[in-house]
Amino acid sequence: MRVAVVGGGISGLVAAYRLRQSLGESADLTVIESRVRLGGVLRTGEVGGEPVDLGAEAFVGRRPEVPALLRELGIADQLVHPAGLRPLVWAGGRAHPLPERTLMGIPSGPETVTGLLDAETVARIADEPTRPFMWRPGTDIDVYSLVADRFGAQTVARSVDPLLGGVYAGTARSIGLRAALPTLAAALDRGAGSLTAAVAAALPPPSDAPVFGALRDGYAVLLRALTERSAPVTVRETAVTALRRVPGGWQVDPVGEFDAVVLATPAPVTARLLAEVAPAAAHAAAGIQLSSSALVVLELPKDTRLPPNSGVLVATGEPLRAKAFTLSSRKWPHLAARDTAVVRVSFGRFGDDSAATLPDADLVVAATADLATVTGVPIDPRSAVVQRWPGGLAQYAPGHLERVTEIESELARFDDLAVTGAYLHGVGVPACVASASAAARSIATARTGSRSPGR
């Protein structure tokens, strides 16, 4: 059996690994990747001679997928957790503690945002349960429209946008309620009498478990282990130009014919490849937009006086060009043990690529200047690494769940074609692992010798 996995990011590599597990050594697996390296938006580089992730650096530690995968691959000793420090929010020209007991920055009451928001907005939040509230179950709107109406625009700019910017490189205006905040949507559908009540019902119970995890030596360790455990696997460095149905399987141009295909490609590429064979799915995928971003990783002297926090998120509308600062040497104990300090400075939100498209030298200058502003100390980097991520993150806009349902419903008629990726059921690494495992399982369990209904 010949299987092509189109796309060599984390979703594609997990799919190849799962296919090897299910189909055995006799299966002929090919991973087709248009870039010169595997890993997609996961990339580990070097800063000061030590490994540092230049894309995603962490994953949600309370989901089981990544820790379980690390154990499977025999690299569980790579799992590390943050030091437990809280981030700050830069708003109104100064730093504030990130509010606690919020749902993606949506406050559960006025006391959580006192000091961050002005008195008028805090009073608006306190009064919200007394104001008439209408909600039609099943409604999907952008997060901004809901929160700004009930809690005020400043709540969005200073509390919600900073968190959504970190997850999606977007804003509350570009992100839909149901895809990004399903528990809140469910609470509203159940008849919550106010947004305050819905947030209280949707908040997860308090837990001492670490929220995030990471790999001590970077995601490169995971990518390498997946590739090794998928062996024997052929890796082809080329862009796929077309996908066509042929007798017995699929023609993947320009590589050749395969019995089954997994598309682990970004939404626009998936849309192009499905245009002929699954036009409704292609149309739905084409409606998923992408956001671009850029990252500057600064190596600083060990004695740089960084605040005792995990990072600094930037409110919308501030005169800074950066959207967030991760004080990596504060956040991660394994990085704190190094001889230099590491800070990650992020740029770019959906609809605003002005900073992310600056030349490398100007981007480093902007990162250094903005970090000096939020920390209040001189910044003199020893070195800097710039990493750009064009189209790196999907925007989960209103109607996203319907688009995904359309994609998966049309493709359900094929037992030899599956899709996976960060544009489907979550942008984080755990969601990608789950999606890729499901795609591989659908191929493996259906390949019993019967003809596909889609042929």
Side-chain angles (χ1 to χ4, degrees):
M1 180 178 178
R2 299 191 70 208
V3 183
V5 177
V6 183
I10 182 63
S11 297
L13 294 182
V14 170
Y17 166 62
R18 295 298 187 201
L19 286 166
R20 176 61 68 206
Q21 283 184 305
S22 299
L23 301 177
E25 292 186 5
S26 62
D28 184 352
L29 298 184
T30 300
V31 173
I32 308 169
E33 170 56 51
S34 62
R35 304 188 225 196
V36 296
R37 63 172 186 85
L38 299 174
V41 296
L42 301 185
R43 183 181 184 186
T44 305
E46 282 195 359
V47 175
E50 299 279 358
V52 172
D53 278 315
L54 304 178
E57 67 159 0
F59 56 86
V60 176
R62 292 175 181 173
R63 287 191 58 154
E65 292 89 349
V66 176
L69 183 59
L70 297 180
R71 290 192 296 271
E72 274 186 54
L73 297 169
I75 53 174
D77 60 335
Q78 283 284 326
L79 179 61
V80 293
H81 297 292
L85 302 177
R86 293 283 296 171
L88 301 169
V89 178
W90 184 263
R94 66 187 184 91
H96 307 260
L98 182 73
E100 299 190 44
R101 299 298 292 164
T102 72
L103 190 69
M104 193 62 77
I106 305 174
S108 56
E111 67 283 351
T112 65
V113 288
T114 300
L116 173 62
L117 308 181
D118 60 30
E120 180 182 353
T121 303
V122 172
R124 181 182 179 87
I125 295 170
D127 180 63
E128 191 267 341
T130 70
R131 302 199 310 270
F133 180 65
M134 294 293 294
W135 178 262
R136 182 167 57 86
T139 298
D140 192 11
I141 60 175
D142 62 89
V143 175
Y144 179 90
S145 295
L146 174 65
V147 180
D149 176 61
R150 303 301 296 180
F151 287 166
Q154 191 183 78
T155 303
V156 179
R158 295 190 172 188
S159 188
V160 181
D161 271 355
L163 290 167
L164 287 176
V167 176
Y168 298 99
T171 69
R173 295 179 186 270
S174 66
I175 302 300
L177 174 70
R178 292 198 171 272
L181 296 162
T183 58
L184 180 60
L188 292 168
D189 288 349
R190 289 195 300 268
S194 66
L195 180 56
T196 300
V199 171
L203 281 172
S207 172
D208 294 331
V211 177
F212 298 109
L215 275 71
R216 184 183 61 248
D217 295 319
Y219 274 118
V221 178
L222 174 59
L223 301 175
R224 184 168 54 250
L226 286 169
T227 305
E228 291 173 351
R229 293 285 291 273
S230 301
V233 61
T234 301
V235 177
R236 290 288 302 273
E237 182 190 328
T238 188
V240 172
T241 56
L243 177 69
R244 293 179 289 111
R245 174 60 94 186
V246 295
W250 298 94
Q251 173 68 34
V252 180
D253 291 335
V255 180
E257 290 191 13
F258 294 88
D259 299 302
V261 175
V262 175
L263 295 181
T265 46
V269 178
T270 304
R272 174 173 57 81
L273 295 177
L274 291 178
E276 288 189 16
V277 299
H283 181 265
I288 300 173
Q289 296 181 286
L290 306 181
S291 179
S292 298
S293 61
L295 179 72
V296 177
V297 182
L298 300 175
E299 180 195 15
L300 306 176
K302 179 79 169 179
D303 59 358
T304 302
R305 298 192 312 277
L306 300 173
N309 299 90
S310 61
V312 185
L313 307 176
V314 179
T316 302
E318 295 296 310
L320 300 179
R321 287 157 292 186
K323 70 173 182 181
F325 308 84
T326 303
L327 308 178
S328 301
S329 296
R330 296 278 195 244
K331 182 176 181 178
W332 301 103
H334 68 288
L335 296 182
R338 296 182 180 179
D339 294 332
T340 56
V342 176
V343 175
R344 292 161 46 101
V345 187
S346 301
F347 296 86
R349 288 186 174 96
F350 181 73
D352 180 10
D353 296 336
S354 57
T357 55
L358 288 172
D360 284 6
D362 293 345
L363 204 58
V364 172
V365 169
T368 303
D370 285 357
L371 182 60
T373 297
V374 301
T375 61
V377 301
I379 300 297
D380 183 21
R382 291 184 175 181
S383 67
V385 177
V386 176
Q387 176 66 56
R388 299 181 185 276
W389 296 111
L393 283 172
Q395 298 300 287
Y396 280 41
H400 181 81
L401 299 183
E402 286 76 11
R403 293 185 185 94
V404 172
T405 297
E406 184 71 30
I407 294 168
E408 295 180 335
S409 295
E410 187 174 19
L411 294 185
R413 64 192 179 94
F414 300 107
D415 67 5
D416 53 2
L417 176 64
V419 293
T420 179
Y423 67 92
L424 292 169
H425 299 287
V427 298
V429 174
C432 290
V433 172
S435 171
S437 298
R441 185 165 56 250
S442 71
I443 296 292
T445 56
R447 301 311 293 162
T448 59
S450 61
R451 289 177 58 83
S452 166
R455 293 185 189 170

